[in-house]
Amino acid sequence: MISQCRLDQEAGRPRASVNLPRRIAAAPQLRPDPVPTLRPEDPYLPAVWQRSVYPLAERLGQKITLPTVSPQPRSALVFEGFAFASDHGRGHEYTLAVFNAFFAEDRDIGDIEVLAALAEAAGLDGAALRQALQDGRYRARHAEALREAEAQQIKAVPTIVIGTTRIEGMPTAEGLRNALQSLAAEEQA
C-alpha cells in the first residue's frame, strides 16, 4: 500500500510519457503453507512497524495500521481474487480495496466473504468472485505466479521492476525517479 502510494507520487508526471503499468504486480507468498504466518501480538511486527512502517507512512501521508488479525491470513485467496478481478478489468481497484481493508480497516482478507464484499466495492460481482474462489478456478494461475516469482528470485515485498531496473523492498523517491528516467530513455532510444 505504501509502495503503491510512493509509485503513484513519483510516477504521476512521467506516466504520460512513459509506458508504465498502472499497478504493481509481484505477489509471492512470503510464508507459504506450512510456514507459520506472523502474529501481531509477538514482538517482531510491532517493532518493525514502529521503526519503519509508521514513520514512512506518515511522511507519505498514508493512513495505515498494523492489522490485528492473528495469525495473519495467508494471501492465496487474495491473489486468486486478483486474477479474477484482472480478468474483469478491475485488478487495480481490487488490489487497492484489499490493501485498504487489511492495512487501514483491519479486516481479515483471508475470509472469502470479506473478499466478496471487497470485490463488490471494486465494481465486481461479489457472488461470482466467491464462487470462483470456492471452485478453485484461479488456483492454478496463482500457483504459476508463485513459480514465476520463485524463478525470478522474488523474496521481498514489494519487488518493483521498471524497465531493466529492479527495486526490492520499499523504494526511495530517488530510486523510483531514476528508474522512471531510465525507462523513458530506453523507450526513446
Side-chain angles (χ1 to χ4, degrees):
M1 187 163 154
I2 294 176
S3 60
Q4 182 68 53
C5 178
R6 167 80 43 92
L7 184 60
D8 286 346
Q9 287 176 351
E10 293 306 319
R13 291 181 312 257
R15 186 175 287 139
S17 61
V18 175
N19 184 19
L20 183 66
R22 179 65 184 107
R23 63 172 179 78
I24 300 172
Q29 284 184 239
L30 295 180
R31 291 165 194 85
D33 203 20
V35 176
T37 61
L38 298 176
R39 294 179 175 274
E41 63 271 18
D42 292 341
Y44 172 76
L45 280 177
V48 168
W49 278 64
Q50 286 298 90
R51 184 176 61 250
S52 302
V53 178
Y54 286 134
L56 179 59
E58 187 174 326
R59 284 195 308 273
L60 294 172
Q62 182 70 43
K63 179 186 176 232
I64 191 168
T65 58
L66 172 61
T68 62
V69 177
S70 185
Q72 289 191 326
R74 301 220 180 265
S75 52
L77 290 175
V78 171
F79 295 129
E80 290 176 37
F82 172 74
F84 172 91
S86 294
D87 282 357
H88 293 86
R90 307 294 291 175
H92 181 70
E93 293 81 0
Y94 171 84
T95 298
L96 293 178
V98 169
F99 283 164
N100 189 63
F102 191 56
F103 293 112
E105 299 171 0
D106 201 23
R107 294 172 70 186
D108 183 354
I109 60 172
D111 182 316
I112 288 178
E113 293 307 315
V114 169
L115 295 177
L118 296 174
E120 287 183 9
L124 296 159
D125 181 340
L129 176 113
R130 180 185 305 106
Q131 191 63 55
L133 295 178
Q134 290 170 340
D135 294 347
R137 196 173 313 149
Y138 291 91
R139 200 168 294 138
R141 195 143 137 208
H142 177 240
E144 177 58 32
L146 291 176
R147 284 190 291 277
E148 178 66 20
E150 185 175 341
Q152 302 239 353
Q153 298 180 337
I154 295 175
K155 307 268 187 233
V157 175
T159 295
I160 303 170
V161 178
I162 301 172
T164 58
T165 302
R166 179 180 170 126
I167 303 170
E168 294 181 346
M170 186 61 203
T172 64
E174 181 180 0
L176 281 174
R177 274 192 299 274
N178 291 342
L180 291 168
Q181 289 169 355
S182 293
L183 179 60
E186 289 171 20
E187 288 186 348
Q188 290 176 2

